[in-house]
Amino acid sequence: MTLRVGLIVFCVILSIGAGAIGAESSDNVKNSTDGKLGLKFELILSKLQMIEHKLQKTDDKLQRIEKDVERVLQKQDIQHLYSSCKEIPSNVSGTYQIRVRNDGVSVPFEVYCEQRKFGGGWIVIQHRFDGSLDFYRNWNEFRDGFGDFDKEFWLGLEKVHQITRNKKHELIIELKDFNGTYAYARYDGFELGGEGEEYVLKRLGEYSGTAGDSMSYNKDERFSTKDRDNDQNEELQCVHDREGAWWHFGCTDVNLNGRYINADDKKSMYWEDFKKRQGLSYSRMMIR
């Protein structure tokens, strides 16, 4: 581009010079000079067009090279994806791709990373805050995940199983009531079994926090959805009774996938040791 601009400026100067010479010469000399300069100017324009054509070809080559480099870098990024939010060298919360096993074969997937609260490095597996998403869903949906990372979502039981199966993870659950009162529960161990084990809550570590230890009631229980009854209650199906998929026993002290309502109701999204069965306005589950 610099060469092109320089040549154009040179032509302009040459044109001005030609005008000056013409003004100082006689009419005959002027016509002769103008003719010669006109021919030279045409030659210069022709060369400029050739140069511009070559520059365009060079630009096209550079663009192809840039695309090739970008593809190589993307391939390298896929081969060297981080296996967790904790490994990502950024304090910016948001959506990232991770590969649970860096073996070059495992399929990467997106997660939402909380990179600031509680020291950062957390994978968010459930988030509810406005009731815009229906959580009364079937087995396949809870297995695969649903929702939008920018809104309410459930990551998916299979992904959580893959994440927690080979490395020790901890769990944090954040809660708020409709008055804005905040509490949290933290467990220093968390692991889910695979689908063949009905995503059983295999590990739940020691509790700490301010919400109370309601989750321990669900330890060693299999996950239940409205179309897959795995609870141990012989009188009713807990998912239907509470309208919430969960690791029901008979039934549960925690119903974070229940109905989003501001009411004292067993079908609400509640945490028994925090606000009994009073519906909550906010729930976020994170593992690290």
Side-chain angles (χ1 to χ4, degrees), residues 44-225:
I44 291 170
L45 283 177
S46 177
K47 289 182 178 180
L48 277 174
Q49 288 173 351
M50 290 176 60
I51 292 170
E52 185 174 10
H53 180 67
K54 289 181 178 179
L55 284 172
Q56 185 61 52
K57 290 179 68 176
T58 303
D59 287 342
D60 292 342
K61 280 186 179 180
L62 285 173
Q63 288 180 9
R64 287 196 295 271
I65 291 170
E66 286 176 358
K67 288 180 180 179
D68 290 341
V69 170
E70 186 177 353
R71 281 195 291 268
V72 170
L73 290 175
Q74 286 176 346
K75 186 176 180 181
Q76 289 177 344
D77 287 341
I78 290 174
Q79 292 173 347
H80 297 89
L81 284 172
Y82 297 101
S83 63
S84 71
C85 293
K86 191 174 182 180
E87 294 181 2
I88 294 172
S90 171
N91 62 358
V92 178
S93 299
T95 303
Y96 295 88
Q97 273 208 341
I98 65 169
R99 188 199 300 276
V100 175
R101 296 186 302 279
N102 283 321
D103 52 11
V105 177
S106 303
V107 178
F109 55 85
E110 287 189 338
V111 296
Y112 188 91
C113 297
E114 170 54 59
Q115 298 296 79
R116 300 188 69 84
K117 293 199 70 175
F118 298 101
W122 296 92
I123 297 173
V124 181
I125 64 174
Q126 187 246 38
H127 195 194
R128 303 184 73 184
F129 57 88
D130 63 5
S132 60
L133 186 64
D134 180 16
F135 271 69
Y136 195 41
R137 294 173 179 257
N138 62 35
W139 179 265
N140 290 349
E141 290 173 297
F142 271 96
R143 179 193 63 201
D144 301 336
F146 53 86
D148 190 322
F149 289 136
D150 294 328
K151 300 175 184 177
E152 295 189 330
F153 70 89
W154 174 265
L155 180 61
L157 293 165
E158 181 60 31
K159 292 185 179 72
V160 177
H161 162 62
Q162 294 296 333
I163 292 167
T164 60
R165 65 185 291 193
N166 293 319
K167 293 181 182 178
K168 183 179 179 181
H169 279 73
E170 54 183 325
L171 168 72
I172 277 186
I173 300 171
E174 295 185 291
L175 308 166
K176 287 181 188 176
D177 66 14
F178 279 90
N179 294 320
T181 304
Y182 173 87
Y184 74 93
R186 186 169 188 166
Y187 296 89
D188 65 5
F190 180 76
E191 180 185 350
L192 295 188
E195 186 171 18
E197 302 171 278
E198 311 282 2
Y199 297 114
V200 61
L201 183 50
K202 295 182 73 170
R203 182 194 300 270
L204 189 69
E206 292 293 322
Y207 160 83
S208 62
T210 59
D213 182 18
S214 293
M215 190 76 172
S216 289
Y217 184 78
N218 306 111
K219 188 176 183 297
D220 299 322
E221 297 306 316
R222 296 172 295 165
F223 200 80
S224 292
T225 61

